[in-house]
Amino acid sequence: MTLRKGEKTPISIQEHMAIDVCPGPIKPIKQISDYFPRFPRGLPAAVGRSGGLRPAAGPAEPPRRPAGDGDGGDDDDVDRLFGAYGATPAPPPGRCPAAPEEAADPEGYESDDCTALGTLDFSLLYDRENNALHCTISKAKGLKPMDHNGLADPYVKLHLLPGASKANKLRTKTLRNTLNPAWNETLTYYGITDEDMVRKTLRISVCDEDKFRHNEFIGETRIPLKKLKPNQTKSFSICLEKQLPMDKTEDKSLEERGRILISLKYSSQKQGLLVGIVRCAHLAAMDANGYSDPYVKTYLKPDEDKKSKHKTAVKKKTLNPEFNEEFCYEIKHGDLAKKTLEVTVWDYDIGKSNDFIGGVVLGINAKGERLKHWFDCLKNKDKKIERWHTLTNELPGAVLSD
């Protein structure tokens, strides 16, 4: 095709559209993070959109050397940029590195879990004379929000480990719509022995109460009781932790069902063993109403004539009954070493079989506090000796039928 001088080459409509649609190579689209980068907390200087540094307020810096002098200005800019992201740049020659304003205190450091779950203030007192552990729950701060309104309905519950069960659970009242509850409530475990103080751990859990679904766990802490000194109050302010796994090696057959206070005395005048059933504490609830109707039975075994059975009165609707009853077994003092005292606690039911709550065996073949109680009774004639004992859900070799 011949073109006159000054005429442009004609372009077809297809070529024209192709030029408009495909003007050149496709470039990557910038992401929003290129314009608004995220920086770690505590930056010494702010970084602008272009990536340059805006110097923080402070004494003026000396002018930088041009790129051609020494190490090069580009490298300095890179070092300064990485310094803004948390790296520590090397101090310039002739200038001493500035001392940090505040040194980090490892004891005062708060972890992410502590910040997220909150802290709990409480105190513990072991009253050795009365065999009681007093747990005063004071307050919590900064609890994790659990409800839609950004608040929680917190309460505190206590368990003794190992052997945790409903029988040894205590709890505070529930405080509504707060993340900083102040309970100022004292919960007491009765029947705590020196043996318990050596091997037991107190688990303190903070939970959120819900009316229409299961209560939710917020956080917990665990205190070995061996950290406490008798008759001395110890205060704690502890960060709550996530739920810790339970010890699966714990023998479930020895689940605790409560405590019982028993007195033993060999009477030279009556020529017999006096067994006193004083009281029980923290019994397992066996009825639907959350209580039991407990009574106690005692046997002195071996019992060939089946005449050693004694039974207390039934106490209605209670988990902490007081009996204050005493039974006498006529037996020579020398024969007691061959005998075993079996004490069982039952829940009375009308129209069906009574439920076994728990029991304990005292005798020469027992262990720990049970053996010591029996030995002290044999050793000290005409002296009444009272001891608390833990009730378990099984008795070795015992036939558990009422």
Side-chain angles (χ1 to χ4, degrees), residues 12-45:
S12 66
I13 188 63
Q14 291 84 0
E15 291 174 327
H16 179 75
M17 295 299 296
I19 292 173
D20 287 347
V21 173
C22 303
I26 299 175
K27 296 181 180 180
I29 300 174
K30 287 191 175 183
Q31 300 180 2
I32 191 68
S33 59
D34 295 335
Y35 296 95
F36 302 99
R38 297 180 61 184
F39 302 110
R41 290 175 290 183
L43 285 179

PDB file of all heavy atoms in Angstrom, residues 12-45:
ATOM      1  N   SER A  12      -6.329  -0.956  11.840  1.00  0.00           N
ATOM      2  CA  SER A  12      -7.645  -1.601  11.875  1.00  0.00           C
ATOM      3  C   SER A  12      -8.220  -1.547  13.282  1.00  0.00           C
ATOM      4  O   SER A  12      -7.515  -1.329  14.273  1.00  0.00           O
ATOM      5  CB  SER A  12      -7.530  -3.057  11.408  1.00  0.00           C
ATOM      6  OG  SER A  12      -6.762  -3.793  12.344  1.00  0.00           O
ATOM      7  N   ILE A  13      -9.542  -1.723  13.332  1.00  0.00           N
ATOM      8  CA  ILE A  13     -10.209  -1.692  14.641  1.00  0.00           C
ATOM      9  C   ILE A  13      -9.732  -2.807  15.548  1.00  0.00           C
ATOM     10  O   ILE A  13      -9.619  -2.666  16.778  1.00  0.00           O
ATOM     11  CB  ILE A  13     -11.756  -1.761  14.456  1.00  0.00           C
ATOM     12  CG1 ILE A  13     -12.454  -1.537  15.818  1.00  0.00           C
ATOM     13  CG2 ILE A  13     -12.160  -3.097  13.838  1.00  0.00           C
ATOM     14  CD1 ILE A  13     -12.209  -0.202  16.405  1.00  0.00           C
ATOM     15  N   GLN A  14      -9.392  -3.981  14.997  1.00  0.00           N
ATOM     16  CA  GLN A  14      -8.886  -5.092  15.805  1.00  0.00           C
ATOM     17  C   GLN A  14      -7.547  -4.732  16.445  1.00  0.00           C
ATOM     18  O   GLN A  14      -7.294  -4.992  17.609  1.00  0.00           O
ATOM     19  CB  GLN A  14      -8.743  -6.360  14.945  1.00  0.00           C
ATOM     20  CG  GLN A  14     -10.049  -6.968  14.496  1.00  0.00           C
ATOM     21  CD  GLN A  14     -10.591  -6.296  13.242  1.00  0.00           C
ATOM     22  OE1 GLN A  14      -9.952  -5.364  12.715  1.00  0.00           O
ATOM     23  NE2 GLN A  14     -11.752  -6.760  12.778  1.00  0.00           N
ATOM     24  N   GLU A  15      -6.668  -4.090  15.586  1.00  0.00           N
ATOM     25  CA  GLU A  15      -5.366  -3.712  16.128  1.00  0.00           C
ATOM     26  C   GLU A  15      -5.530  -2.620  17.182  1.00  0.00           C
ATOM     27  O   GLU A  15      -4.840  -2.592  18.200  1.00  0.00           O
ATOM     28  CB  GLU A  15      -4.466  -3.220  14.996  1.00  0.00           C
ATOM     29  CG  GLU A  15      -4.055  -4.321  14.037  1.00  0.00           C
ATOM     30  CD  GLU A  15      -3.266  -3.747  12.844  1.00  0.00           C
ATOM     31  OE1 GLU A  15      -3.556  -2.615  12.422  1.00  0.00           O
ATOM     32  OE2 GLU A  15      -2.367  -4.442  12.382  1.00  0.00           O
ATOM     33  N   HIS A  16      -6.478  -1.701  16.975  1.00  0.00           N
ATOM     34  CA  HIS A  16      -6.708  -0.618  17.922  1.00  0.00           C
ATOM     35  C   HIS A  16      -7.165  -1.174  19.290  1.00  0.00           C
ATOM     36  O   HIS A  16      -6.685  -0.743  20.346  1.00  0.00           O
ATOM     37  CB  HIS A  16      -7.771   0.340  17.363  1.00  0.00           C
ATOM     38  CG  HIS A  16      -8.074   1.466  18.298  1.00  0.00           C
ATOM     39  ND1 HIS A  16      -7.201   2.532  18.469  1.00  0.00           N
ATOM     40  CD2 HIS A  16      -9.139   1.697  19.115  1.00  0.00           C
ATOM     41  CE1 HIS A  16      -7.710   3.372  19.348  1.00  0.00           C
ATOM     42  NE2 HIS A  16      -8.908   2.876  19.762  1.00  0.00           N
ATOM     43  N   MET A  17      -8.083  -2.155  19.288  1.00  0.00           N
ATOM     44  CA  MET A  17      -8.551  -2.743  20.529  1.00  0.00           C
ATOM     45  C   MET A  17      -7.455  -3.520  21.235  1.00  0.00           C
ATOM     46  O   MET A  17      -7.348  -3.529  22.458  1.00  0.00           O
ATOM     47  CB  MET A  17      -9.754  -3.657  20.261  1.00  0.00           C
ATOM     48  CG  MET A  17     -10.985  -2.922  19.760  1.00  0.00           C
ATOM     49  SD  MET A  17     -11.596  -1.715  20.944  1.00  0.00           S
ATOM     50  CE  MET A  17     -12.068  -2.786  22.282  1.00  0.00           C
ATOM     51  N   ALA A  18      -6.625  -4.165  20.417  1.00  0.00           N
ATOM     52  CA  ALA A  18      -5.539  -4.943  21.011  1.00  0.00           C
ATOM     53  C   ALA A  18      -4.558  -4.044  21.732  1.00  0.00           C
ATOM     54  O   ALA A  18      -4.029  -4.374  22.789  1.00  0.00           O
ATOM     55  CB  ALA A  18      -4.841  -5.772  19.939  1.00  0.00           C
ATOM     56  N   ILE A  19      -4.318  -2.863  21.144  1.00  0.00           N
ATOM     57  CA  ILE A  19      -3.382  -1.925  21.786  1.00  0.00           C
ATOM     58  C   ILE A  19      -3.955  -1.416  23.100  1.00  0.00           C
ATOM     59  O   ILE A  19      -3.278  -1.314  24.114  1.00  0.00           O
ATOM     60  CB  ILE A  19      -3.078  -0.751  20.829  1.00  0.00           C
ATOM     61  CG1 ILE A  19      -2.266  -1.271  19.644  1.00  0.00           C
ATOM     62  CG2 ILE A  19      -2.290   0.348  21.559  1.00  0.00           C
ATOM     63  CD1 ILE A  19      -2.061  -0.242  18.554  1.00  0.00           C
ATOM     64  N   ASP A  20      -5.270  -1.093  23.099  1.00  0.00           N
ATOM     65  CA  ASP A  20      -5.883  -0.578  24.328  1.00  0.00           C
ATOM     66  C   ASP A  20      -5.977  -1.641  25.418  1.00  0.00           C
ATOM     67  O   ASP A  20      -5.817  -1.357  26.603  1.00  0.00           O
ATOM     68  CB  ASP A  20      -7.293  -0.055  24.027  1.00  0.00           C
ATOM     69  CG  ASP A  20      -7.228   1.258  23.247  1.00  0.00           C
ATOM     70  OD1 ASP A  20      -6.121   1.818  23.206  1.00  0.00           O
ATOM     71  OD2 ASP A  20      -8.256   1.677  22.698  1.00  0.00           O
ATOM     72  N   VAL A  21      -6.298  -2.871  25.009  1.00  0.00           N
ATOM     73  CA  VAL A  21      -6.471  -3.942  25.999  1.00  0.00           C
ATOM     74  C   VAL A  21      -5.139  -4.415  26.555  1.00  0.00           C
ATOM     75  O   VAL A  21      -4.999  -4.724  27.732  1.00  0.00           O
ATOM     76  CB  VAL A  21      -7.268  -5.113  25.411  1.00  0.00           C
ATOM     77  CG1 VAL A  21      -7.297  -6.296  26.363  1.00  0.00           C
ATOM     78  CG2 VAL A  21      -8.664  -4.655  25.068  1.00  0.00           C
ATOM     79  N   CYS A  22      -4.143  -4.482  25.739  1.00  0.00           N
ATOM     80  CA  CYS A  22      -2.841  -5.027  26.154  1.00  0.00           C
ATOM     81  C   CYS A  22      -1.782  -3.943  26.007  1.00  0.00           C
ATOM     82  O   CYS A  22      -1.007  -3.968  25.040  1.00  0.00           O
ATOM     83  CB  CYS A  22      -2.472  -6.255  25.328  1.00  0.00           C
ATOM     84  SG  CYS A  22      -3.703  -7.566  25.394  1.00  0.00           S
ATOM     85  N   PRO A  23      -1.787  -2.964  26.857  1.00  0.00           N
ATOM     86  CA  PRO A  23      -0.808  -1.883  26.713  1.00  0.00           C
ATOM     87  C   PRO A  23       0.610  -2.290  27.050  1.00  0.00           C
ATOM     88  O   PRO A  23       1.549  -1.591  26.715  1.00  0.00           O
ATOM     89  CB  PRO A  23      -1.321  -0.840  27.692  1.00  0.00           C
ATOM     90  CG  PRO A  23      -2.030  -1.632  28.730  1.00  0.00           C
ATOM     91  CD  PRO A  23      -2.651  -2.787  28.010  1.00  0.00           C
ATOM     92  N   GLY A  24       0.788  -3.389  27.711  1.00  0.00           N
ATOM     93  CA  GLY A  24       2.135  -3.805  28.079  1.00  0.00           C
ATOM     94  C   GLY A  24       2.093  -4.959  29.073  1.00  0.00           C
ATOM     95  O   GLY A  24       1.043  -5.542  29.330  1.00  0.00           O
ATOM     96  N   PRO A  25       3.236  -5.307  29.656  1.00  0.00           N
ATOM     97  CA  PRO A  25       3.281  -6.420  30.618  1.00  0.00           C
ATOM     98  C   PRO A  25       2.463  -6.098  31.864  1.00  0.00           C
ATOM     99  O   PRO A  25       2.395  -4.965  32.313  1.00  0.00           O
ATOM    100  CB  PRO A  25       4.765  -6.552  30.954  1.00  0.00           C
ATOM    101  CG  PRO A  25       5.350  -5.215  30.631  1.00  0.00           C
ATOM    102  CD  PRO A  25       4.552  -4.681  29.459  1.00  0.00           C
ATOM    103  N   ILE A  26       1.792  -7.132  32.419  1.00  0.00           N
ATOM    104  CA  ILE A  26       0.949  -6.972  33.603  1.00  0.00           C
ATOM    105  C   ILE A  26       1.834  -6.890  34.848  1.00  0.00           C
ATOM    106  O   ILE A  26       2.694  -7.751  35.069  1.00  0.00           O
ATOM    107  CB  ILE A  26      -0.045  -8.138  33.749  1.00  0.00           C
ATOM    108  CG1 ILE A  26      -0.957  -8.179  32.511  1.00  0.00           C
ATOM    109  CG2 ILE A  26      -0.861  -8.022  35.026  1.00  0.00           C
ATOM    110  CD1 ILE A  26      -1.892  -9.355  32.496  1.00  0.00           C
ATOM    111  N   LYS A  27       1.640  -5.864  35.651  1.00  0.00           N
ATOM    112  CA  LYS A  27       2.422  -5.690  36.869  1.00  0.00           C
ATOM    113  C   LYS A  27       1.633  -6.215  38.069  1.00  0.00           C
ATOM    114  O   LYS A  27       0.407  -6.134  38.069  1.00  0.00           O
ATOM    115  CB  LYS A  27       2.747  -4.210  37.072  1.00  0.00           C
ATOM    116  CG  LYS A  27       3.636  -3.625  35.977  1.00  0.00           C
ATOM    117  CD  LYS A  27       3.940  -2.163  36.271  1.00  0.00           C
ATOM    118  CE  LYS A  27       4.831  -1.573  35.177  1.00  0.00           C
ATOM    119  NZ  LYS A  27       5.142  -0.143  35.439  1.00  0.00           N
ATOM    120  N   PRO A  28       2.318  -6.744  39.088  1.00  0.00           N
ATOM    121  CA  PRO A  28       1.596  -7.243  40.285  1.00  0.00           C
ATOM    122  C   PRO A  28       0.903  -6.110  41.022  1.00  0.00           C
ATOM    123  O   PRO A  28       1.424  -5.002  41.114  1.00  0.00           O
ATOM    124  CB  PRO A  28       2.711  -7.867  41.133  1.00  0.00           C
ATOM    125  CG  PRO A  28       3.963  -7.205  40.679  1.00  0.00           C
ATOM    126  CD  PRO A  28       3.764  -6.914  39.204  1.00  0.00           C
ATOM    127  N   ILE A  29      -0.286  -6.409  41.508  1.00  0.00           N
ATOM    128  CA  ILE A  29      -1.060  -5.419  42.246  1.00  0.00           C
ATOM    129  C   ILE A  29      -0.534  -5.360  43.687  1.00  0.00           C
ATOM    130  O   ILE A  29      -0.329  -6.391  44.333  1.00  0.00           O
ATOM    131  CB  ILE A  29      -2.548  -5.790  42.248  1.00  0.00           C
ATOM    132  CG1 ILE A  29      -3.053  -5.843  40.805  1.00  0.00           C
ATOM    133  CG2 ILE A  29      -3.356  -4.800  43.068  1.00  0.00           C
ATOM    134  CD1 ILE A  29      -4.474  -6.330  40.689  1.00  0.00           C
ATOM    135  N   LYS A  30      -0.330  -4.153  44.192  1.00  0.00           N
ATOM    136  CA  LYS A  30       0.167  -4.011  45.560  1.00  0.00           C
ATOM    137  C   LYS A  30      -0.885  -4.442  46.567  1.00  0.00           C
ATOM    138  O   LYS A  30      -2.072  -4.232  46.361  1.00  0.00           O
ATOM    139  CB  LYS A  30       0.571  -2.562  45.837  1.00  0.00           C
ATOM    140  CG  LYS A  30       1.855  -2.153  45.147  1.00  0.00           C
ATOM    141  CD  LYS A  30       2.343  -0.822  45.674  1.00  0.00           C
ATOM    142  CE  LYS A  30       3.698  -0.467  45.067  1.00  0.00           C
ATOM    143  NZ  LYS A  30       4.221   0.789  45.627  1.00  0.00           N
ATOM    144  N   GLN A  31      -0.413  -5.057  47.638  1.00  0.00           N
ATOM    145  CA  GLN A  31      -1.317  -5.455  48.716  1.00  0.00           C
ATOM    146  C   GLN A  31      -1.473  -4.317  49.714  1.00  0.00           C
ATOM    147  O   GLN A  31      -0.663  -3.395  49.770  1.00  0.00           O
ATOM    148  CB  GLN A  31      -0.781  -6.699  49.435  1.00  0.00           C
ATOM    149  CG  GLN A  31      -0.640  -7.895  48.512  1.00  0.00           C
ATOM    150  CD  GLN A  31      -0.117  -9.105  49.264  1.00  0.00           C
ATOM    151  OE1 GLN A  31       0.094  -9.027  50.457  1.00  0.00           O
ATOM    152  NE2 GLN A  31       0.074 -10.194  48.551  1.00  0.00           N
ATOM    153  N   ILE A  32      -2.533  -4.408  50.481  1.00  0.00           N
ATOM    154  CA  ILE A  32      -2.795  -3.354  51.464  1.00  0.00           C
ATOM    155  C   ILE A  32      -1.677  -3.272  52.490  1.00  0.00           C
ATOM    156  O   ILE A  32      -1.373  -2.201  53.040  1.00  0.00           O
ATOM    157  CB  ILE A  32      -4.160  -3.606  52.159  1.00  0.00           C
ATOM    158  CG1 ILE A  32      -4.568  -2.374  52.976  1.00  0.00           C
ATOM    159  CG2 ILE A  32      -4.092  -4.844  53.046  1.00  0.00           C
ATOM    160  CD1 ILE A  32      -4.899  -1.190  52.147  1.00  0.00           C
ATOM    161  N   SER A  33      -1.025  -4.422  52.782  1.00  0.00           N
ATOM    162  CA  SER A  33       0.060  -4.420  53.766  1.00  0.00           C
ATOM    163  C   SER A  33       1.272  -3.646  53.279  1.00  0.00           C
ATOM    164  O   SER A  33       2.120  -3.253  54.083  1.00  0.00           O
ATOM    165  CB  SER A  33       0.467  -5.859  54.101  1.00  0.00           C
ATOM    166  OG  SER A  33       0.875  -6.521  52.936  1.00  0.00           O
ATOM    167  N   ASP A  34       1.377  -3.440  51.927  1.00  0.00           N
ATOM    168  CA  ASP A  34       2.483  -2.623  51.425  1.00  0.00           C
ATOM    169  C   ASP A  34       2.325  -1.164  51.832  1.00  0.00           C
ATOM    170  O   ASP A  34       3.304  -0.423  51.972  1.00  0.00           O
ATOM    171  CB  ASP A  34       2.562  -2.735  49.911  1.00  0.00           C
ATOM    172  CG  ASP A  34       2.925  -4.150  49.465  1.00  0.00           C
ATOM    173  OD1 ASP A  34       3.548  -4.852  50.282  1.00  0.00           O
ATOM    174  OD2 ASP A  34       2.585  -4.544  48.333  1.00  0.00           O
ATOM    175  N   TYR A  35       1.078  -0.740  52.003  1.00  0.00           N
ATOM    176  CA  TYR A  35       0.823   0.647  52.375  1.00  0.00           C
ATOM    177  C   TYR A  35       0.736   0.828  53.891  1.00  0.00           C
ATOM    178  O   TYR A  35       1.034   1.894  54.417  1.00  0.00           O
ATOM    179  CB  TYR A  35      -0.490   1.128  51.737  1.00  0.00           C
ATOM    180  CG  TYR A  35      -0.436   1.145  50.216  1.00  0.00           C
ATOM    181  CD1 TYR A  35      -0.911   0.071  49.490  1.00  0.00           C
ATOM    182  CD2 TYR A  35       0.111   2.233  49.551  1.00  0.00           C
ATOM    183  CE1 TYR A  35      -0.851   0.080  48.109  1.00  0.00           C
ATOM    184  CE2 TYR A  35       0.169   2.247  48.172  1.00  0.00           C
ATOM    185  CZ  TYR A  35      -0.317   1.172  47.431  1.00  0.00           C
ATOM    186  OH  TYR A  35      -0.262   1.178  46.085  1.00  0.00           O
ATOM    187  N   PHE A  36       0.275  -0.217  54.598  1.00  0.00           N
ATOM    188  CA  PHE A  36       0.121  -0.133  56.054  1.00  0.00           C
ATOM    189  C   PHE A  36       0.823  -1.317  56.713  1.00  0.00           C
ATOM    190  O   PHE A  36       0.185  -2.264  57.144  1.00  0.00           O
ATOM    191  CB  PHE A  36      -1.364  -0.124  56.446  1.00  0.00           C
ATOM    192  CG  PHE A  36      -2.143   0.997  55.826  1.00  0.00           C
ATOM    193  CD1 PHE A  36      -2.904   0.778  54.702  1.00  0.00           C
ATOM    194  CD2 PHE A  36      -2.078   2.261  56.366  1.00  0.00           C
ATOM    195  CE1 PHE A  36      -3.615   1.802  54.129  1.00  0.00           C
ATOM    196  CE2 PHE A  36      -2.787   3.296  55.798  1.00  0.00           C
ATOM    197  CZ  PHE A  36      -3.554   3.078  54.674  1.00  0.00           C
ATOM    198  N   PRO A  37       2.141  -1.321  56.761  1.00  0.00           N
ATOM    199  CA  PRO A  37       2.869  -2.456  57.363  1.00  0.00           C
ATOM    200  C   PRO A  37       2.640  -2.515  58.861  1.00  0.00           C
ATOM    201  O   PRO A  37       2.392  -1.505  59.511  1.00  0.00           O
ATOM    202  CB  PRO A  37       4.336  -2.148  57.038  1.00  0.00           C
ATOM    203  CG  PRO A  37       4.364  -0.663  56.876  1.00  0.00           C
ATOM    204  CD  PRO A  37       3.044  -0.268  56.287  1.00  0.00           C
ATOM    205  N   ARG A  38       2.684  -3.735  59.414  1.00  0.00           N
ATOM    206  CA  ARG A  38       2.530  -3.935  60.846  1.00  0.00           C
ATOM    207  C   ARG A  38       3.899  -3.957  61.499  1.00  0.00           C
ATOM    208  O   ARG A  38       4.806  -4.635  61.031  1.00  0.00           O
ATOM    209  CB  ARG A  38       1.794  -5.239  61.130  1.00  0.00           C
ATOM    210  CG  ARG A  38       0.374  -5.278  60.590  1.00  0.00           C
ATOM    211  CD  ARG A  38      -0.278  -6.602  60.905  1.00  0.00           C
ATOM    212  NE  ARG A  38      -0.356  -6.805  62.357  1.00  0.00           N
ATOM    213  CZ  ARG A  38      -0.818  -7.914  62.902  1.00  0.00           C
ATOM    214  NH1 ARG A  38      -1.236  -8.919  62.145  1.00  0.00           N
ATOM    215  NH2 ARG A  38      -0.882  -8.033  64.209  1.00  0.00           N
ATOM    216  N   PHE A  39       4.037  -3.217  62.576  1.00  0.00           N
ATOM    217  CA  PHE A  39       5.310  -3.149  63.274  1.00  0.00           C
ATOM    218  C   PHE A  39       5.156  -3.705  64.675  1.00  0.00           C
ATOM    219  O   PHE A  39       4.088  -3.601  65.267  1.00  0.00           O
ATOM    220  CB  PHE A  39       5.803  -1.693  63.375  1.00  0.00           C
ATOM    221  CG  PHE A  39       5.962  -1.038  62.036  1.00  0.00           C
ATOM    222  CD1 PHE A  39       5.111  -0.031  61.643  1.00  0.00           C
ATOM    223  CD2 PHE A  39       6.956  -1.450  61.171  1.00  0.00           C
ATOM    224  CE1 PHE A  39       5.249   0.569  60.414  1.00  0.00           C
ATOM    225  CE2 PHE A  39       7.095  -0.847  59.941  1.00  0.00           C
ATOM    226  CZ  PHE A  39       6.241   0.162  59.547  1.00  0.00           C
ATOM    227  N   PRO A  40       6.214  -4.280  65.247  1.00  0.00           N
ATOM    228  CA  PRO A  40       6.151  -4.723  66.647  1.00  0.00           C
ATOM    229  C   PRO A  40       6.023  -3.540  67.578  1.00  0.00           C
ATOM    230  O   PRO A  40       6.347  -2.408  67.235  1.00  0.00           O
ATOM    231  CB  PRO A  40       7.482  -5.470  66.840  1.00  0.00           C
ATOM    232  CG  PRO A  40       8.387  -4.905  65.793  1.00  0.00           C
ATOM    233  CD  PRO A  40       7.504  -4.567  64.614  1.00  0.00           C
ATOM    234  N   ARG A  41       5.504  -3.866  68.827  1.00  0.00           N
ATOM    235  CA  ARG A  41       5.340  -2.814  69.808  1.00  0.00           C
ATOM    236  C   ARG A  41       6.688  -2.285  70.269  1.00  0.00           C
ATOM    237  O   ARG A  41       7.671  -3.002  70.297  1.00  0.00           O
ATOM    238  CB  ARG A  41       4.546  -3.335  71.009  1.00  0.00           C
ATOM    239  CG  ARG A  41       3.096  -3.599  70.691  1.00  0.00           C
ATOM    240  CD  ARG A  41       2.397  -4.228  71.869  1.00  0.00           C
ATOM    241  NE  ARG A  41       2.879  -5.604  72.054  1.00  0.00           N
ATOM    242  CZ  ARG A  41       2.397  -6.420  72.969  1.00  0.00           C
ATOM    243  NH1 ARG A  41       1.456  -6.022  73.783  1.00  0.00           N
ATOM    244  NH2 ARG A  41       2.864  -7.643  73.091  1.00  0.00           N
ATOM    245  N   GLY A  42       6.706  -1.016  70.647  1.00  0.00           N
ATOM    246  CA  GLY A  42       7.930  -0.431  71.192  1.00  0.00           C
ATOM    247  C   GLY A  42       8.881   0.064  70.139  1.00  0.00           C
ATOM    248  O   GLY A  42      10.105  -0.022  70.312  1.00  0.00           O
ATOM    249  N   LEU A  43       8.394   0.551  68.979  1.00  0.00           N
ATOM    250  CA  LEU A  43       9.275   1.055  67.946  1.00  0.00           C
ATOM    251  C   LEU A  43       9.973   2.325  68.403  1.00  0.00           C
ATOM    252  O   LEU A  43       9.354   3.212  68.982  1.00  0.00           O
ATOM    253  CB  LEU A  43       8.467   1.354  66.676  1.00  0.00           C
ATOM    254  CG  LEU A  43       8.035   0.132  65.863  1.00  0.00           C
ATOM    255  CD1 LEU A  43       7.233   0.585  64.672  1.00  0.00           C
ATOM    256  CD2 LEU A  43       9.210  -0.674  65.432  1.00  0.00           C
ATOM    257  N   PRO A  44      11.243   2.440  68.096  1.00  0.00           N
ATOM    258  CA  PRO A  44      11.923   3.694  68.413  1.00  0.00           C
ATOM    259  C   PRO A  44      11.568   4.811  67.455  1.00  0.00           C
ATOM    260  O   PRO A  44      11.763   5.969  67.755  1.00  0.00           O
ATOM    261  CB  PRO A  44      13.403   3.320  68.320  1.00  0.00           C
ATOM    262  CG  PRO A  44      13.433   2.182  67.361  1.00  0.00           C
ATOM    263  CD  PRO A  44      12.163   1.422  67.584  1.00  0.00           C
ATOM    264  N   ALA A  45      11.061   4.468  66.242  1.00  0.00           N
ATOM    265  CA  ALA A  45      10.716   5.494  65.258  1.00  0.00           C
ATOM    266  C   ALA A  45       9.611   4.974  64.394  1.00  0.00           C
ATOM    267  O   ALA A  45       9.454   3.774  64.193  1.00  0.00           O
ATOM    268  CB  ALA A  45      11.940   5.854  64.408  1.00  0.00           C
TER     269      ALA A  45
END
